[in-house]
């Protein structure tokens, strides 16, 4: 029996944060019904590879929420749902009669999760934005610069770490509280709020009115022990030998002259000396050297190299599969659900509106596995 077997989730969300959160719940055994507008989730048309990855194991139903009859049918499903997820701007679901107050009237035990950029209240609540805006708002985007400008993040920090993961945590906590007699809840998950822990080291100074100098803090390039260095063939090495034992091994591995090993006196000179040593050899050389030294230094892999990494393959990180509606088999989205708790390794992606909204009940919705 999977952890969330018997839990029903009605998901109105689109794009990334909400769908990824409901994907995690589906993988743990929940029955997830994705409510799509007649033309379908935008990812069906804009990214045909990503949509199946984000929606495997769910069911799909089409509802035109501008129509009274469709709203009534969706409301009937919500009246028996354990969890409702939505990602619209505050007020949109209320105007449709599908907000927390409207759903709670017929389902007092519902766990209703709203995932937004700036939360349900405050002066920015109805402001439009995307991941980069939320990261910019928190100051996180300003901590690393190149050529005088913040560096574009390589990851969607706000969508995943600030939105999807906190939504899953909040939903599970709310379900646990409900099972203890605490009733339902409206969960206000604001991606911007949840990005702040990503820069925990800067917060003590920030709340005192002090901002770190870009790229100068110990973990943003200010220390030679936590930096990216270029190799002879234009590749890069990520070096993080913070602890003394790893620093000693690293210095030995790159044959750093003794006068630079006490990096506190002149960090810039030590970093320059390391950069010169690493720039003298290619990535293949350093990959072998650092593997032997075990000193917290890694050649930066390309996405393709990472996907082919034997160590990751042995762990099964990218071995799970999703079957698209046309029969195409794709790599499934990696999920933070341990093997003992997750569903099957091969799952299906829902065809648009496979289920008929008319007369639909939760008994018709099952985790779709093959």
């Amino acid at each position: 029996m999977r952890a969330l077997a018997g839990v029903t989730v009605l998901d109105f969300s689109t794009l990334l944060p909400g769908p990824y959160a409901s994907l995690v719940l589906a993988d743990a055994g929940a029955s997830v019904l994705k409510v799509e507008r007649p033309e379908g989730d935008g990812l069906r048309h804009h990214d045909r590879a990503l949509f199946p990855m984000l929606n495997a194991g769910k069911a799909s139903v089409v509802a035109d929420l501008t129509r009274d009859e469709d709203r009534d049918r969706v409301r009937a499903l919500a009246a028996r749902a354990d969890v409702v997820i939505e990602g619209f701007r505050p007020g949109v679901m209320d105007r449709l009669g599908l907000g927390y107050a409207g759903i709670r009237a017929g389902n007092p035990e519902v766990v209703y999760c709203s995932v937004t950029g700036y939360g349900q209240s405050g002066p920015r609540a109805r402001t439009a934005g995307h991941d980069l805006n939320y990261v910019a708002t928190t100051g996180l985007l300003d901590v690393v610069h190149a050529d005088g400008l913040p560096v574009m993040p390589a990851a969607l920090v706000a969508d995943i770490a600030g939105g999807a993961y906190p939504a899953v945590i909040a939903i599970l906590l709310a379900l646990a509280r409900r099972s203890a007699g605490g009733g339902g809840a409206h969960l206000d998950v604001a991606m911007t709020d949840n990005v702040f822990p990503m820069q925990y080291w800067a917060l003590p100074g920030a709340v005192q009115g002090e901002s770190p100098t870009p790229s100068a803090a110990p973990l943003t390039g200010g220390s030679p022990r936590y930096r990216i260095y270029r190799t002879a063939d234009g590749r890069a090495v990520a070096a993080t030998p913070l602890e003394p034992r790893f620093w000693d091994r690293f210095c030995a591995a790159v044959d750093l002259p003794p006068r630079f090993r006490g990096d506190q006196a002149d960090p810039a000179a030590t970093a320059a000396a390391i950069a010169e040593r690493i720039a003298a050899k290619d990535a293949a050389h350093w990959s072998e050297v650092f593997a032997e030294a075990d000193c917290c230094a890694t050649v930066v892999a390309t996405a393709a190299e990472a996907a082919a990494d034997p160590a990751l393959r042995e762990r099964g990180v990218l071995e799970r599969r999703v079957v698209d509606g046309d029969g195409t088999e794709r790599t499934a989205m990696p999920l933070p659900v341990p093997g003992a708790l997750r569903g099957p390794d091969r799952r299906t992606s829902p065809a648009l509106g496979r289920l008929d909204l008319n007369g639909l009940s939760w008994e018709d919705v099952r985790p779709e596995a093959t």
Side-chain angles (χ1 to χ4, degrees):
M1 180 177 178
R2 285 150 66 198
L4 296 182
V7 172
T8 54
V9 180
L10 192 63
D11 185 7
F12 292 94
S13 66
T14 61
L15 301 177
L16 180 56
Y20 188 80
S22 65
L23 181 67
V24 174
L25 301 179
D27 201 43
S31 296
V32 178
L33 178 60
K34 182 177 180 65
V35 180
E36 300 189 61
R37 53 182 180 260
E39 63 271 26
D41 186 317
L43 283 183
R44 285 189 182 272
H45 314 293
H46 299 147
D47 196 323
R48 295 190 176 184
L50 187 55
F51 178 86
M53 293 176 72
L54 282 171
N55 293 284
K58 305 176 188 177
S60 166
V61 67
V62 167
D64 183 349
L65 298 181
T66 66
R67 291 163 45 94
D68 291 341
E69 53 269 39
D70 281 14
R71 289 200 303 274
D72 289 342
R73 289 167 181 154
V74 168
R75 194 176 295 109
L77 288 167
R80 294 186 58 200
D82 294 297
V83 178
V84 173
I85 300 175
E86 62 92 10
F88 297 103
R89 293 197 218 184
V92 172
M93 292 295 273
D94 289 327
R95 290 196 296 272
L96 294 170
L98 296 170
Y100 176 60
I103 300 304
R104 183 177 181 274
N107 184 358
E109 298 290 297
V110 70
V111 171
Y112 192 104
C113 183
S114 298
V115 184
T116 59
Y118 299 106
Q120 297 296 299
S121 61
R124 287 197 182 96
R126 289 177 172 80
T127 301
H130 285 296
D131 191 284
L132 193 62
N133 305 115
Y134 311 141
V135 176
T137 299
T138 64
L140 180 62
L141 191 61
D142 192 51
V143 302
V144 177
H145 281 199
D147 299 324
L149 282 176
V151 174
M152 181 71 72
L156 295 178
V157 175
D159 282 355
I160 299 296
Y165 283 169
V168 171
I169 293 169
I171 288 168
L172 295 179
L173 291 173
L175 289 174
R177 189 186 74 162
R178 189 183 73 174
S179 69
H186 185 193
L187 309 176
D188 177 5
V189 176
M191 288 181 269
T192 300
D193 296 356
N194 295 322
V195 166
F196 276 100
M198 304 297 109
Q199 52 177 330
Y200 70 94
W201 50 269
L203 288 180
V207 298
Q208 300 297 323
E210 302 171 1
S211 297
T213 301
S215 304
L219 300 185
T220 62
S223 168
R225 301 191 188 202
Y226 206 91
R227 265 197 192 192
I228 299 172
Y229 297 97
R230 188 178 301 278
T231 64
D233 54 349
R235 298 290 296 271
V237 167
T240 67
L242 292 170
E243 296 85 353
R245 68 184 185 280
F246 294 129
W247 176 246
D248 290 343
R249 293 178 195 171
F250 177 79
C251 291
V254 302
D255 195 22
L256 189 68
R259 67 181 182 277
F260 294 115
R261 297 191 183 193
D263 61 312
Q264 299 300 314
D266 192 346
T270 295
I274 294 171
E276 182 179 359
R277 304 296 296 179
I278 291 181
K281 302 288 184 179
D282 63 19
H285 169 84
W286 292 119
S287 183
E288 293 182 9
V289 167
F290 293 140
E292 177 67 25
D294 188 24
C295 60
C296 300
T298 310
V299 172
V300 177
T302 66
E305 287 171 342
D309 187 333
L312 289 177
R313 287 191 173 277
E314 184 177 327
R315 292 281 299 166
V317 176
L318 299 176
E319 297 305 301
R320 305 180 75 191
R321 294 289 181 264
V322 55
V323 181
D324 201 348
D326 61 4
T328 302
E329 189 171 289
R330 307 176 188 275
T331 297
M333 183 71 77
L335 296 169
V337 181
L341 300 176
R342 72 190 189 195
D345 286 344
R346 188 172 185 272
R347 312 196 70 180
T348 57
S349 173
L352 178 61
R354 187 186 68 82
L355 299 178
D356 186 353
L357 181 60
N358 187 24
L360 179 65
S361 70
W362 281 108
E363 285 68 31
D364 302 315
V365 181
R366 295 286 183 273
E368 296 184 351
T370 56

